[in-house]
Amino acid sequence: MTTIATAPATPSLRAGLELERLGPGFGAIVHGIDLRRPTEVQMEQLRGALVEHKVLFFRGQDLADADQVAFASRLGKPTAGHPVAATAAAHAEIYPIDSTDPEFSFSDEWHTDVTFMQTPPAASVLRAVRLPDTGGDTSWADSQLAYESLSEPVRRLVDGLTAVHDGNREWGAYLRRHGGRGNEWDGRTVTGLTPVEHPVVRVHPVSGRRGLFVNPGFTSHIIGVSDAESRGILDLLYAHLTKPEHTIRHRWAVGDVGVWDNRSTAHYANRDYTQPRVMARVTIRGDRPVGPTT
């Protein structure tokens, strides 16, 4: 199977996509493609564009659940919709994010999807199903640009650090309410959320670029430093990661599909709405993060 982790497309293939850039550093709207029936050439172009632009948007896509899963399967191998949360009945690859669900869990912090697992997903595919009249935008931060714009002494410091990522704060109570049995992830059923360690700086497995790999949603602390030092370092990195010049923002329309590279981004979904907001997410299997000193 061709996966998202293949080498980037050549410049000529990337140039063949009809891209509307959203910023000088990253993000693009892709025009002129029907995600229900992309050609293999288009898929190869998209894989390369995703590594380069990090976040891609597709307007006016009329996808059903099965179409979304089929498209995600062309990018790579879909995971279960979520390690512990309930997934769509007919398509276990889909995680429904429904603000009307009594068990709706909303992370009102910047985060990168599922970094509390040993092998976080490489990419996410999100579809807008139902939207409020106003509000509900999503923002993304470019973790590679953020790393590269740090001063050299700070880059040297964070290159050698390791952080703990813990899903219990967000999902521990949910898992207990559901009998301590989640979904299958990496070939096993999730029955607990043991904190995991990841490098603070992740080397992208395709591009080789370095990016910050910590997020307020799931990173609990840095190993080998005091609590005060950990808080200080993480606060510095979070503030730097989410500077306006490192971010883009997307205003959703029903039928939009967004695809982003979790290995080089973090994101934040605004909870500034009072009407229902329903999204459908599929994540693509990734690999274990590797740092510059690993």
Side-chain angles (χ1 to χ4, degrees):
M1 175 185 292
T2 303
T3 70
I4 198 171
T6 56
T10 63
S12 60
L13 282 179
R14 287 199 295 271
L17 287 177
E18 188 180 346
L19 296 176
E20 177 187 343
R21 288 179 177 269
L22 296 177
F26 77 117
I29 299 174
V30 183
H31 298 286
I33 185 170
D34 182 347
L35 296 186
R36 294 172 299 179
R37 50 183 69 90
T39 67
E40 187 50 45
V41 171
Q42 288 175 322
M43 291 304 304
E44 186 64 20
Q45 292 173 341
L46 290 178
R47 295 184 195 104
L50 184 59
V51 172
E52 180 179 355
H53 296 282
K54 304 178 181 67
V55 188
L56 303 175
F57 300 102
F58 306 83
R59 295 284 198 183
Q61 301 293 321
D62 184 22
L63 302 188
D65 285 357
D67 299 321
Q68 183 177 2
V69 173
F71 169 67
S73 299
R74 300 280 300 278
L75 280 177
K77 184 175 178 59
T79 66
H82 192 276
V84 300
T87 57
H91 298 279
E93 302 91 345
I94 288 186
Y95 169 41
I97 307 171
D98 185 348
S99 67
T100 67
D101 186 338
E103 293 222 83
F104 173 62
S105 177
F106 186 91
S107 176
D108 60 348
E109 294 183 297
W110 284 89
H111 64 283
T112 299
D113 287 334
V114 199
T115 62
F116 54 87
M117 301 300 288
Q118 290 281 7
T119 54
S124 297
V125 180
L126 188 67
R127 178 174 114 249
V129 179
R130 183 181 180 188
L131 295 170
D133 291 337
T134 58
D137 297 357
T138 305
S139 296
W140 281 263
D142 183 337
S143 65
Q144 293 174 344
L145 179 60
Y147 170 82
E148 290 162 0
S149 62
L150 287 168
S151 65
E152 184 178 351
V154 177
R155 288 200 305 270
R156 289 200 304 268
L157 168 67
V158 298
D159 274 346
L161 297 177
T162 300
V164 172
H165 294 241
D166 188 350
N168 283 289
R169 181 178 62 177
E170 184 74 20
W171 293 104
Y174 181 102
L175 186 61
R176 291 190 294 273
R177 287 197 304 272
H178 290 263
R181 186 176 180 85
N183 303 309
E184 184 177 303
W185 196 274
D186 288 340
R188 67 175 184 87
T189 299
V190 176
T191 57
L193 295 174
T194 303
V196 299
E197 298 179 7
H198 294 311
V200 168
V201 175
R202 181 175 190 174
V203 178
H204 195 284
V206 181
S207 69
R209 290 179 66 184
R210 299 181 184 188
L212 298 177
F213 198 65
V214 289
N215 66 89
F218 301 123
T219 305
S220 61
H221 64 281
I222 294 175
I223 294 173
V225 300
S226 70
D227 288 344
E229 289 169 331
S230 175
R231 289 193 301 271
I233 294 169
L234 289 174
D235 285 348
L236 180 155
L237 295 180
Y238 297 155
H240 187 75
L241 173 67
T242 58
K243 290 174 66 175
E245 57 265 40
H246 300 153
T247 68
I248 58 171
R249 178 168 174 155
H250 182 67
R251 177 160 295 174
W252 296 98
V254 172
D256 281 2
V257 174
V259 183
W260 63 90
D261 192 331
N262 281 300
R263 301 164 297 188
S264 56
T265 62
H267 58 278
Y268 179 89
N270 291 359
R271 195 173 188 175
D272 57 352
Y273 51 89
T274 57
Q275 297 168 307
R277 180 181 187 269
V278 181
M279 314 291 280
R281 191 192 75 186
V282 177
T283 51
I284 306 299
R285 180 177 294 181
D287 53 7
R288 190 163 183 171
V290 172
T293 59
T294 301

